[in-house]
Amino acid sequence: MSVKKGRQLELDIAQLAFGGKGIARVDGMAVFVDRTVPRDRVLARIVKKKKKYAEARVVELLEASPMRVSAPCAYSGICGGCKWQFLDYERQLEFKRQQVQESLADIRQIQEVAVHPTIGSDRIFGYRNKMEFSCAERRWLLPEELGRDDIDAGMALGLHVPGTYFKVLDIDACLLQPDLGNRLLGDVRRFIKASSRPVYGLKTHQGFWRFLVLRHSAAHDQWMVNIVTASEDQELLKPLANRLMQACPQVVSVVNNVTARKAGVAIGEYEIGLAGESVLRDRIGDYEFELSSNSFFQTNTLGAKRLYDTVATYAGLTGSEHIVDLYCGAGTIAIYLAGMAKTVTGLEMAQSAVDDARRNC
Protein backbone atom coordinates (compact mmCIF):
# COMPACT_ATOMS: atom_id res chain seq x y z
CA MET A 1 0.00 0.00 0.00
CA SER A 2 1.95 3.02 -1.28
CA VAL A 3 1.68 6.46 0.27
CA LYS A 4 1.01 9.12 -2.36
CA LYS A 5 -0.34 12.64 -2.10
CA GLY A 6 -4.10 12.69 -2.66
CA ARG A 7 -4.59 8.98 -1.95
CA GLN A 8 -7.14 7.91 0.68
CA LEU A 9 -6.07 5.22 3.13
CA GLU A 10 -7.60 3.43 6.09
CA LEU A 11 -5.25 4.04 9.00
CA ASP A 12 -4.96 2.73 12.55
CA ILE A 13 -3.62 5.39 14.90
CA ALA A 14 -0.98 3.86 17.16
CA GLN A 15 0.46 6.77 19.16
CA LEU A 16 0.55 10.55 19.63
CA ALA A 17 3.35 12.77 18.35
CA PHE A 18 4.75 15.82 20.13
CA GLY A 19 2.37 18.62 19.20
CA GLY A 20 -0.75 16.48 19.34
CA LYS A 21 -1.06 14.68 16.00
CA GLY A 22 -1.79 10.97 15.85
CA ILE A 23 0.70 8.63 14.19
CA ALA A 24 -0.11 5.70 11.92
CA ARG A 25 2.45 3.59 10.07
CA VAL A 26 2.22 2.42 6.47
CA ASP A 27 4.98 0.07 5.33
CA GLY A 28 7.23 1.54 8.03
CA MET A 29 6.54 5.17 7.10
CA ALA A 30 5.10 7.47 9.78
CA VAL A 31 1.87 9.20 8.75
CA PHE A 32 0.85 12.12 10.97
CA VAL A 33 -2.91 12.63 11.21
CA ASP A 34 -4.35 15.70 12.97
CA ARG A 35 -7.37 15.42 15.30
CA THR A 36 -6.85 11.71 16.02
CA VAL A 37 -5.94 9.70 19.12
CA PRO A 38 -4.48 6.22 19.63
CA ARG A 39 -6.84 3.35 18.75
CA ASP A 40 -8.81 5.47 16.28
CA ARG A 41 -9.39 3.89 12.87
CA VAL A 42 -9.85 6.54 10.19
CA LEU A 43 -10.21 7.04 6.48
CA ALA A 44 -7.65 9.76 5.73
CA ARG A 45 -6.36 11.62 2.68
CA ILE A 46 -2.62 12.15 2.25
CA VAL A 47 -1.98 15.91 1.94
CA LYS A 48 1.82 15.96 2.15
CA LYS A 49 4.42 13.35 1.23
CA LYS A 50 8.06 13.66 2.23
CA LYS A 51 10.94 11.18 2.00
CA LYS A 52 10.60 9.88 5.57
CA TYR A 53 7.05 10.83 6.58
CA ALA A 54 3.65 11.93 5.35
CA GLU A 55 0.77 14.04 6.68
CA ALA A 56 -2.92 13.25 6.30
CA ARG A 57 -6.35 14.67 7.13
CA VAL A 58 -9.32 12.72 8.38
CA VAL A 59 -12.06 12.10 5.83
CA GLU A 60 -14.13 9.83 8.08
CA LEU A 61 -13.81 8.42 11.59
CA LEU A 62 -14.40 4.70 11.01
CA GLU A 63 -13.96 3.48 14.58
CA ALA A 64 -13.61 5.78 17.60
CA SER A 65 -10.99 5.14 20.23
CA PRO A 66 -12.25 4.47 23.78
CA MET A 67 -10.01 7.37 24.82
CA ARG A 68 -12.27 9.82 22.97
CA VAL A 69 -14.73 12.13 24.74
CA SER A 70 -17.23 14.62 23.35
CA ALA A 71 -15.56 18.00 22.90
CA PRO A 72 -17.75 20.65 24.58
CA CYS A 73 -16.52 23.50 22.35
CA ALA A 74 -18.07 24.14 18.94
CA TYR A 75 -14.66 25.24 17.60
CA SER A 76 -12.72 22.17 18.77
CA GLY A 77 -10.30 20.95 16.12
CA ILE A 78 -10.59 24.17 14.09
CA CYS A 79 -9.46 26.83 16.55
CA GLY A 80 -5.80 26.97 17.51
CA GLY A 81 -6.55 27.34 21.22
CA CYS A 82 -7.14 23.69 22.20
CA LYS A 83 -5.70 20.59 20.58
CA TRP A 84 -7.01 17.74 22.72
CA GLN A 85 -10.55 18.55 23.87
CA PHE A 86 -11.71 15.24 22.41
CA LEU A 87 -9.15 13.30 24.50
CA ASP A 88 -9.92 12.25 28.08
CA TYR A 89 -8.07 14.61 30.46
CA GLU A 90 -6.33 11.90 32.46
CA ARG A 91 -5.04 10.46 29.18
CA GLN A 92 -3.81 13.93 28.20
CA LEU A 93 -1.70 14.09 31.35
CA GLU A 94 -0.20 10.67 30.71
CA PHE A 95 0.64 11.44 27.08
CA LYS A 96 2.34 14.69 28.12
CA ARG A 97 4.52 12.74 30.55
CA GLN A 98 5.41 10.25 27.82
CA GLN A 99 6.30 13.02 25.37
CA VAL A 100 8.72 14.64 27.83
CA GLN A 101 10.34 11.26 28.37
CA GLU A 102 10.57 10.58 24.62
CA SER A 103 11.95 14.06 23.89
CA LEU A 104 14.78 13.58 26.39
CA ALA A 105 15.62 10.22 24.86
CA ASP A 106 15.41 11.38 21.21
CA ILE A 107 17.09 14.76 21.45
CA ARG A 108 19.81 14.15 24.03
CA GLN A 109 19.97 10.36 24.19
CA ILE A 110 19.14 10.50 27.89
CA GLN A 111 17.77 7.09 28.80
CA GLU A 112 15.82 5.87 31.83
CA VAL A 113 15.06 9.33 33.18
CA ALA A 114 12.46 9.44 35.95
CA VAL A 115 9.73 11.68 34.53
CA HIS A 116 7.10 11.98 37.22
CA PRO A 117 3.35 11.97 36.52
CA THR A 118 2.02 15.24 35.13
CA ILE A 119 0.37 17.43 37.76
CA GLY A 120 -3.09 18.31 36.46
CA SER A 121 -5.26 21.39 36.87
CA ASP A 122 -8.23 21.41 39.21
CA ARG A 123 -10.13 23.33 36.53
CA ILE A 124 -10.09 22.12 32.96
CA PHE A 125 -12.24 25.04 31.73
CA GLY A 126 -12.75 28.61 32.94
CA TYR A 127 -9.23 28.82 34.36
CA ARG A 128 -7.36 31.22 32.04
CA ASN A 129 -6.70 34.66 33.48
CA LYS A 130 -5.67 36.16 30.14
CA MET A 131 -7.08 35.83 26.62
CA GLU A 132 -6.00 37.61 23.43
CA PHE A 133 -8.54 37.97 20.60
CA SER A 134 -7.54 39.19 17.12
CA CYS A 135 -9.52 41.36 14.73
CA ALA A 136 -9.78 40.52 11.04
CA GLU A 137 -11.65 42.08 8.12
CA ARG A 138 -13.28 38.76 7.21
CA ARG A 139 -13.94 35.80 9.45
CA TRP A 140 -12.82 32.26 8.64
CA LEU A 141 -15.88 30.09 8.03
CA LEU A 142 -16.56 26.84 9.86
CA PRO A 143 -16.85 23.70 7.70
CA GLU A 144 -20.65 23.60 8.02
CA GLU A 145 -20.87 27.25 6.88
CA LEU A 146 -19.01 26.84 3.60
CA GLY A 147 -21.08 27.47 0.49
CA ARG A 148 -24.08 28.90 2.37
CA ASP A 149 -25.60 32.18 1.15
CA ASP A 150 -27.09 33.02 4.55
CA ILE A 151 -23.73 33.27 6.31
CA ASP A 152 -22.25 36.69 7.11
CA ALA A 153 -18.52 36.55 6.40
CA GLY A 154 -17.87 40.02 7.83
CA MET A 155 -15.38 41.07 10.49
CA ALA A 156 -14.03 38.66 13.07
CA LEU A 157 -12.99 39.06 16.67
CA GLY A 158 -11.64 35.76 17.83
CA LEU A 159 -8.83 33.22 17.66
CA HIS A 160 -6.56 32.05 14.87
CA VAL A 161 -6.82 28.87 12.85
CA PRO A 162 -3.68 26.81 13.68
CA GLY A 163 -0.57 27.72 11.74
CA THR A 164 -1.93 30.93 10.19
CA TYR A 165 -1.72 34.64 10.94
CA PHE A 166 -4.63 35.89 8.82
CA LYS A 167 -7.33 33.23 9.33
CA VAL A 168 -9.39 34.28 12.34
CA LEU A 169 -12.45 32.47 13.68
CA ASP A 170 -15.18 34.74 15.02
CA ILE A 171 -15.52 33.28 18.53
CA ASP A 172 -18.81 33.68 20.40
CA ALA A 173 -17.44 32.07 23.56
CA CYS A 174 -14.15 30.52 24.66
CA LEU A 175 -14.60 27.94 27.39
CA LEU A 176 -11.08 28.53 28.72
CA GLN A 177 -12.00 31.89 30.24
CA PRO A 178 -14.63 32.67 32.90
CA ASP A 179 -18.15 33.39 31.63
CA LEU A 180 -17.97 37.17 32.07
CA GLY A 181 -15.05 37.26 29.65
CA ASN A 182 -17.34 35.96 26.91
CA ARG A 183 -19.90 38.64 27.70
CA LEU A 184 -17.18 41.31 27.41
CA LEU A 185 -16.03 39.75 24.14
CA GLY A 186 -19.55 40.06 22.74
CA ASP A 187 -19.99 43.64 23.98
CA VAL A 188 -16.75 44.81 22.37
CA ARG A 189 -17.55 42.99 19.11
CA ARG A 190 -20.92 44.73 18.84
CA PHE A 191 -19.29 48.11 19.49
CA ILE A 192 -16.65 47.50 16.81
CA LYS A 193 -19.27 46.49 14.26
CA ALA A 194 -21.35 49.61 15.00
CA SER A 195 -18.36 51.98 14.91
CA SER A 196 -17.24 54.04 11.93
CA ARG A 197 -13.61 52.87 12.20
CA PRO A 198 -12.45 49.88 10.08
CA VAL A 199 -10.95 46.67 11.38
CA TYR A 200 -7.20 46.31 10.87
CA GLY A 201 -6.31 44.23 7.81
CA LEU A 202 -3.81 41.48 8.60
CA LYS A 203 -2.46 41.61 5.02
CA THR A 204 -3.01 45.26 4.09
CA HIS A 205 -1.93 46.66 7.47
CA GLN A 206 -4.61 49.31 7.19
CA GLY A 207 -7.38 49.95 9.68
CA PHE A 208 -7.98 50.78 13.35
CA TRP A 209 -9.17 47.87 15.55
CA ARG A 210 -6.43 45.27 16.19
CA PHE A 211 -6.82 43.17 19.36
CA LEU A 212 -8.88 42.71 22.50
CA VAL A 213 -6.98 41.43 25.54
CA LEU A 214 -8.95 40.39 28.63
CA ARG A 215 -7.26 39.82 32.00
CA HIS A 216 -9.03 38.32 35.02
CA SER A 217 -8.02 38.37 38.67
CA ALA A 218 -8.91 34.97 40.12
CA ALA A 219 -8.37 36.24 43.67
CA HIS A 220 -10.66 39.28 43.43
CA ASP A 221 -12.88 38.36 40.45
CA GLN A 222 -11.99 41.60 38.68
CA TRP A 223 -11.20 42.33 35.03
CA MET A 224 -8.91 44.49 32.91
CA VAL A 225 -9.97 45.22 29.33
CA ASN A 226 -7.13 46.16 26.97
CA ILE A 227 -8.18 47.45 23.55
CA VAL A 228 -5.28 47.45 21.09
CA THR A 229 -5.60 49.85 18.15
CA ALA A 230 -3.40 51.10 15.33
CA SER A 231 -3.81 54.76 16.32
CA GLU A 232 -5.35 57.01 18.97
CA ASP A 233 -9.05 57.89 19.15
CA GLN A 234 -10.02 58.60 22.75
CA GLU A 235 -13.26 60.26 21.66
CA LEU A 236 -14.36 56.88 20.27
CA LEU A 237 -12.89 54.62 22.95
CA LYS A 238 -13.82 56.40 26.18
CA PRO A 239 -17.59 55.85 25.71
CA LEU A 240 -16.85 52.15 25.18
CA ALA A 241 -14.74 52.06 28.35
CA ASN A 242 -17.45 53.78 30.40
CA ARG A 243 -20.12 51.47 28.99
CA LEU A 244 -18.12 48.36 29.94
CA MET A 245 -17.50 49.58 33.50
CA GLN A 246 -21.12 50.57 34.05
CA ALA A 247 -22.48 47.30 32.68
CA CYS A 248 -19.96 45.09 34.53
CA PRO A 249 -18.89 46.24 38.01
CA GLN A 250 -16.16 43.56 37.96
CA VAL A 251 -14.34 45.59 35.26
CA VAL A 252 -11.93 47.82 37.20
CA SER A 253 -9.57 48.84 34.39
CA VAL A 254 -9.91 49.72 30.71
CA VAL A 255 -6.76 50.69 28.80
CA ASN A 256 -5.82 51.34 25.18
CA ASN A 257 -2.52 50.04 23.81
CA VAL A 258 -1.58 51.84 20.59
CA THR A 259 0.77 50.36 17.99
CA ALA A 260 1.36 51.07 14.31
CA ARG A 261 3.84 48.22 14.00
CA LYS A 262 3.01 45.52 11.46
CA ALA A 263 3.92 42.65 13.79
CA GLY A 264 0.83 40.76 14.95
CA VAL A 265 1.60 41.18 18.65
CA ALA A 266 -0.96 42.57 21.09
CA ILE A 267 1.48 44.95 22.79
CA GLY A 268 1.34 48.70 22.27
CA GLU A 269 4.16 51.13 21.65
CA TYR A 270 2.47 53.17 24.39
CA GLU A 271 -0.63 52.97 26.57
CA ILE A 272 -3.54 55.28 27.36
CA GLY A 273 -5.71 54.82 30.44
CA LEU A 274 -9.37 55.05 29.48
CA ALA A 275 -11.23 54.28 32.72
CA GLY A 276 -10.53 52.89 36.18
CA GLU A 277 -7.16 51.73 37.47
CA SER A 278 -3.95 51.21 35.51
CA VAL A 279 -3.25 47.75 37.00
CA LEU A 280 -5.03 44.57 38.00
CA ARG A 281 -4.26 42.81 41.29
CA ASP A 282 -4.12 39.05 41.67
CA ARG A 283 -2.86 36.70 44.37
CA ILE A 284 -0.80 33.51 44.48
CA GLY A 285 -0.77 32.04 47.96
CA ASP A 286 0.05 34.78 50.49
CA TYR A 287 1.43 37.17 47.88
CA GLU A 288 -0.46 39.81 45.92
CA PHE A 289 0.81 41.06 42.56
CA GLU A 290 0.10 44.16 40.49
CA LEU A 291 -0.27 43.35 36.80
CA SER A 292 -0.06 45.94 34.04
CA SER A 293 -1.66 45.25 30.68
CA ASN A 294 1.51 43.70 29.23
CA SER A 295 2.80 41.91 32.34
CA PHE A 296 3.70 38.25 32.06
CA PHE A 297 1.78 36.17 34.58
CA GLN A 298 1.06 32.45 34.72
CA THR A 299 -2.23 32.08 32.83
CA ASN A 300 -3.65 29.55 35.30
CA THR A 301 -3.56 31.33 38.67
CA LEU A 302 -4.59 28.32 40.78
CA GLY A 303 -2.28 26.11 38.74
CA ALA A 304 0.57 28.57 39.35
CA LYS A 305 0.29 28.08 43.11
CA ARG A 306 0.52 24.33 42.67
CA LEU A 307 3.51 24.82 40.35
CA TYR A 308 5.31 27.13 42.78
CA ASP A 309 4.64 24.81 45.73
CA THR A 310 6.18 22.00 43.68
CA VAL A 311 9.24 24.14 42.91
CA ALA A 312 9.64 24.89 46.61
CA THR A 313 9.33 21.21 47.53
CA TYR A 314 11.93 20.09 44.99
CA ALA A 315 14.31 22.93 45.91
CA GLY A 316 14.31 21.77 49.54
CA LEU A 317 15.13 25.26 50.80
CA THR A 318 16.40 25.69 54.37
CA GLY A 319 16.59 29.49 54.54
CA SER A 320 20.33 29.78 53.88
CA GLU A 321 20.35 29.59 50.06
CA HIS A 322 20.99 32.27 47.44
CA ILE A 323 18.40 31.80 44.67
CA VAL A 324 18.82 33.07 41.10
CA ASP A 325 15.59 33.27 39.09
CA LEU A 326 16.41 33.42 35.36
CA TYR A 327 13.86 35.09 33.06
CA CYS A 328 12.00 36.16 36.20
CA GLY A 329 9.33 38.26 34.46
CA ALA A 330 7.19 40.08 37.01
CA GLY A 331 8.99 38.24 39.80
CA THR A 332 6.24 35.90 40.89
CA ILE A 333 8.35 32.78 41.51
CA ALA A 334 11.18 34.74 43.13
CA ILE A 335 8.80 36.52 45.49
CA TYR A 336 6.97 33.29 46.31
CA LEU A 337 10.29 31.66 47.36
CA ALA A 338 11.75 34.74 49.05
CA GLY A 339 10.62 33.78 52.54
CA MET A 340 12.27 30.37 52.22
CA ALA A 341 15.80 31.50 51.28
CA LYS A 342 18.47 34.00 52.37
CA THR A 343 18.45 36.06 49.15
CA VAL A 344 16.72 35.97 45.79
CA THR A 345 18.01 37.63 42.61
CA GLY A 346 15.85 37.95 39.52
CA LEU A 347 17.35 38.38 36.04
CA GLU A 348 15.15 39.84 33.29
CA MET A 349 15.78 41.92 30.15
CA ALA A 350 12.26 43.35 29.53
CA GLN A 351 12.10 46.73 31.27
CA SER A 352 8.33 46.60 31.75
CA ALA A 353 8.67 43.24 33.53
CA VAL A 354 11.48 44.61 35.72
CA ASP A 355 9.25 47.56 36.66
CA ASP A 356 6.42 45.16 37.53
CA ALA A 357 8.78 42.99 39.60
CA ARG A 358 10.03 45.96 41.61
CA ARG A 359 6.48 47.09 42.37
CA ASN A 360 5.53 43.56 43.34
CA CYS A 361 8.50 43.33 45.73
Side-chain angles (χ1 to χ4, degrees):
M1 181 169 54
S2 61
V3 177
K4 294 182 179 180
K5 185 176 179 179
R7 174 168 289 182
Q8 292 189 10
L9 302 173
E10 290 190 11
L11 301 175
D12 292 307
I13 307 301
Q15 62 189 105
L16 281 175
F18 187 82
K21 292 183 179 181
I23 304 177
R25 295 198 177 272
V26 179
D27 296 333
M29 173 176 282
V31 181
F32 296 91
V33 190
D34 203 12
R35 300 171 63 180
T36 60
V37 300
R39 299 172 65 183
D40 275 343
R41 183 171 179 80
V42 299
L43 177 65
R45 179 182 293 108
I46 304 298
V47 295
K48 183 183 292 186
K49 170 65 165 53
K50 297 293 185 179
K51 186 176 181 179
K52 294 185 178 181
Y53 73 93
E55 295 182 14
R57 292 178 185 161
V58 174
V59 176
E60 182 182 355
L61 179 61
L62 301 175
E63 184 177 337
S65 166
M67 301 180 191
R68 278 188 174 268
V69 296
S70 297
C73 178
Y75 311 103
S76 175
I78 305 168
C79 165
C82 301
K83 295 293 289 184
W84 280 355
Q85 274 198 15
F86 48 78
L87 179 61
D88 176 75
Y89 185 61
E90 293 303 317
R91 297 281 190 174
Q92 292 183 32
L93 299 179
E94 174 56 24
F95 280 122
K96 289 177 181 180
R97 187 197 70 80
Q98 288 181 14
Q99 290 184 355
V100 171
Q101 197 169 40
E102 291 167 0
S103 295
L104 290 171
D106 292 345
I107 298 172
R108 289 290 180 259
Q109 300 298 310
I110 303 173
Q111 305 293 334
E112 299 181 2
V113 175
V115 179
H116 298 288
T118 308
I119 299 174
S121 172
D122 290 335
R123 296 180 184 176
I124 303 175
F125 298 103
Y127 65 87
R128 279 192 69 100
N129 57 39
K130 181 182 178 184
M131 289 292 300
E132 295 183 5
F133 299 100
S134 299
C135 291
E137 295 170 299
R138 292 178 60 82
R139 71 183 185 90
W140 191 254
L141 299 182
L142 298 172
E144 62 268 22
E145 296 175 328
L146 295 173
R148 288 173 50 183
D149 296 331
D150 60 329
I151 297 298
D152 178 14
M155 66 84 62
L157 179 60
L159 300 173
H160 288 262
V161 175
T164 69
Y165 76 93
F166 65 92
K167 299 176 183 177
V168 177
L169 289 166
D170 194 45
I171 302 292
D172 289 328
C174 178
L175 302 184
L176 298 186
Q177 68 176 350
D179 289 339
L180 183 57
N182 294 317
R183 176 180 167 187
L184 293 170
L185 174 63
D187 289 345
V188 173
R189 178 190 289 105
R190 285 187 288 273
F191 188 91
I192 291 175
K193 283 186 173 182
S195 76
S196 59
R197 302 300 298 267
V199 167
Y200 188 83
L202 300 177
K203 290 184 176 181
T204 64
H205 301 293
Q206 300 293 319
F208 179 74
W209 304 99
R210 298 197 66 172
F211 301 95
L212 170 67
V213 185
L214 301 177
R215 300 196 80 142
H216 176 243
S217 166
H220 304 295
D221 193 23
Q222 295 177 337
W223 291 79
M224 170 185 281
V225 179
N226 177 15
I227 303 160
V228 183
T229 59
S231 59
E232 285 189 39
D233 192 338
Q234 294 189 49
E235 185 177 351
L236 173 66
L237 293 178
K238 283 199 171 184
L240 170 59
N242 294 332
R243 181 184 303 180
L244 293 174
M245 294 194 72
Q246 290 170 5
C248 303
Q250 297 97 317
V251 176
V252 298
S253 172
V254 184
V255 299
N256 172 212
N257 270 243
V258 181
T259 178
R261 293 171 178 159
K262 293 182 179 181
V265 180
I267 298 175
E269 297 171 72
Y270 61 95
E271 180 174 303
I272 301 169
L274 297 175
E277 302 181 31
S278 61
V279 295
L280 190 69
R281 293 171 180 82
D282 208 346
R283 180 175 290 274
I284 300 178
D286 295 331
Y287 299 95
E288 185 157 284
F289 300 94
E290 285 189 355
L291 306 173
S292 60
S293 62
N294 297 316
S295 295
F296 172 79
F297 194 66
Q298 295 287 341
T299 54
N300 185 337
T301 308
L302 299 178
K305 183 181 185 305
R306 181 172 288 186
L307 170 66
Y308 295 179
D309 285 340
T310 304
V311 170
T313 298
Y314 275 75
L317 301 173
T318 64
S320 63
E321 294 85 1
H322 299 276
I323 295 176
V324 178
D325 182 6
L326 306 180
Y327 311 99
C328 68
T332 55
I333 295 179
I335 291 169
Y336 197 83
L337 299 179
M340 308 175 195
K342 186 174 182 179
T343 64
V344 178
T345 302
L347 297 183
E348 173 60 58
M349 65 181 294
Q351 186 61 50
S352 61
V354 173
D355 294 340
D356 287 338
R358 286 177 174 151
R359 282 199 306 271
N360 286 329
C361 285

